[in-house]
Amino acid sequence: MKDIFSTKLKSVLLVSIILGGFFLLLEPGIFIIVMIYVFIGNVVYGIPVSFLSDFATKKIGKNRFIFASLIYSVFGFLSFILLGELGIFAVICSFLFFLSEEWQRMRKHNRGIKPANKVIVTNTLSIVILFSLALFGSMLVSGPLFEKHTNETYLIPNGYEGEVRVVYSVKDAPRPEKSEDFDVYRINEKGYTLSPHPEKEGIINNQYFYIDSEGHKEKIDDTCINLGGTDGVQTDDYEYSSSYFTVTNTHCSETFSENVDPTMPRGLSLEEIIKEEGLDKPKN
């Protein structure tokens, strides 16, 4: 048992050195941190998977290599559940760990015995296919599952042009309506609204509509929207943040969407909205 654990610890060290060396060339400032995380991850996750593989393939004959590579690649892929996008590195660690284990096994049990060419080709194809599928699957699945999106829908008074702003973290503000995965914000005639939620982070995935007094909505083209940015204000009494953009129905163009027209109405600033809503006054 001691020899088995020693073999697996060697695999942990080898994988840590290889990945650490890669980041030493790519990003020298973090390679030590990478080595530490890889070491811990392989001890906590890699070694148990290795023991599981040994147990599950113990009585399998000539196809043991393929079944073992399947176990390593599957558990490498499943790591995205805990690690998200970093699961890609877990698949790479799993691949290197497996190769290290098989190399040590071959040195111990097959000294002087050269595998048949057919076996070499079959085993090579199996690990290339299985770990490629695990790597591709991890990249494909982890992105949509863990990638953050803003997902906000703005209902803007029909004909409004100028800056639109949402002020976040306003405790007593009404919660926005929900439409599928989107928070729906109704913008007032002055071009702003309040939200009790904190500002969202991630890829901007918003929808923009004009809405008339009867509730009829008209989708606003992307060329009519200029994405602004975010800002915030903090004092001893309060802290708020906001996001803003500019909308038009008369200057729509690719140029406008990239560079806002300076002649467009600016709208109320964050500080002005705070005063307008009395958010700067202490609550009783």
Side-chain angles (χ1 to χ4, degrees):
M1 184 67 181
K2 183 178 180 181
D3 290 340
I4 295 175
F5 190 79
S6 175
T7 298
K8 300 189 183 305
L9 189 58
K10 287 178 183 177
S11 297
V12 170
L13 292 172
L14 183 60
V15 174
S16 302
I17 291 171
I18 291 174
L19 278 183
F22 174 77
F23 275 90
L24 178 60
L25 298 175
L26 187 68
E27 195 75 31
I30 64 171
F31 87 95
I32 293 179
I33 297 175
V34 170
M35 287 185 66
I36 293 173
Y37 275 100
V38 170
F39 181 87
I40 294 173
N42 276 288
V43 169
V44 173
Y45 192 73
I47 289 180
V49 170
S50 179
F51 276 114
L52 174 63
S53 174
D54 291 347
F55 176 78
T57 61
K58 187 176 182 180
K59 296 182 180 180
I60 297 177
K62 62 180 182 179
N63 292 322
R64 185 204 59 80
F65 184 94
I66 297 175
F67 278 96
S69 62
L70 176 62
I71 291 172
Y72 276 88
S73 58
V74 167
F75 277 90
F77 167 74
L78 291 177
S79 63
F80 81 85
I81 297 174
L82 296 175
L83 301 177
E85 293 181 352
L86 294 179
I88 296 170
F89 292 100
V91 174
I92 296 173
C93 286
S94 179
F95 172 71
L96 295 174
F97 199 108
F98 172 72
L99 290 182
S100 175
E101 288 289 284
E102 291 302 315
W103 174 66
Q104 293 184 79
R105 179 189 296 272
M106 184 179 65
R107 289 189 63 193
K108 182 178 180 180
H109 298 290
N110 300 329
R111 290 184 179 180
I113 301 175
K114 183 179 179 181
N117 291 335
K118 183 179 179 180
V119 173
I120 295 175
V121 172
T122 302
N123 290 346
T124 301
L125 285 175
S126 69
I127 62 172
V128 169
I129 292 173
L130 289 172
F131 282 99
S132 294
L133 288 173
L135 186 62
F136 178 74
S138 181
M139 295 170 63
L140 190 67
V141 174
S142 64
L145 284 180
F146 297 97
E147 202 170 66
K148 293 182 179 180
H149 296 79
T150 53
N151 285 9
E152 294 181 337
T153 295
Y154 301 97
L155 303 181
I156 303 166
N158 197 33
Y160 179 90
E161 286 191 295
E163 200 169 78
V164 175
R165 189 179 293 269
V166 178
V167 181
Y168 300 97
S169 301
V170 180
K171 183 178 179 181
D172 297 326
R175 291 184 175 275
E177 301 171 22
K178 272 285 186 181
S179 176
E180 297 180 348
D181 292 332
F182 285 76
D183 289 332
V184 181
Y185 289 107
R186 294 181 177 272
I187 307 301
N188 63 23
E189 297 294 334
K190 294 184 179 180
Y192 71 87
T193 191
L194 309 179
S195 171
H197 300 318
E199 184 179 351
K200 290 185 177 180
E201 297 180 351
I203 297 174
I204 295 177
N205 183 38
N206 298 333
Q207 301 175 341
Y208 309 88
F209 294 89
Y210 275 128
I211 185 169
D212 61 22
S213 57
E214 296 180 355
H216 298 138
K217 293 187 295 184
E218 179 184 355
K219 186 172 175 50
I220 301 174
D221 191 81
D222 290 341
T223 59
C224 303
I225 300 293
N226 176 268
L227 299 177
T230 61
D231 57 9
V233 60
Q234 181 177 4
T235 71
D236 293 336
D237 299 317
Y238 57 83
E239 179 179 359
Y240 300 108
S241 64
S242 73
S243 65
Y244 58 93
F245 61 89
T246 304
V247 60
T248 184
N249 55 21
T250 58
H251 293 71
C252 301
S253 67
E254 293 291 341
T255 301
F256 176 83
S257 65
E258 295 173 3
N259 301 286
V260 67
D261 188 334
T263 63
M264 296 292 294
R266 296 294 298 170
L268 297 178
S269 67
L270 175 57
E271 289 80 3
E272 289 171 334
I273 295 173
I274 289 173
K275 292 181 179 179
E276 176 92 3
E277 294 289 334
L279 301 176
D280 56 337
K281 300 174 182 177
K283 302 295 182 181
N284 295 328

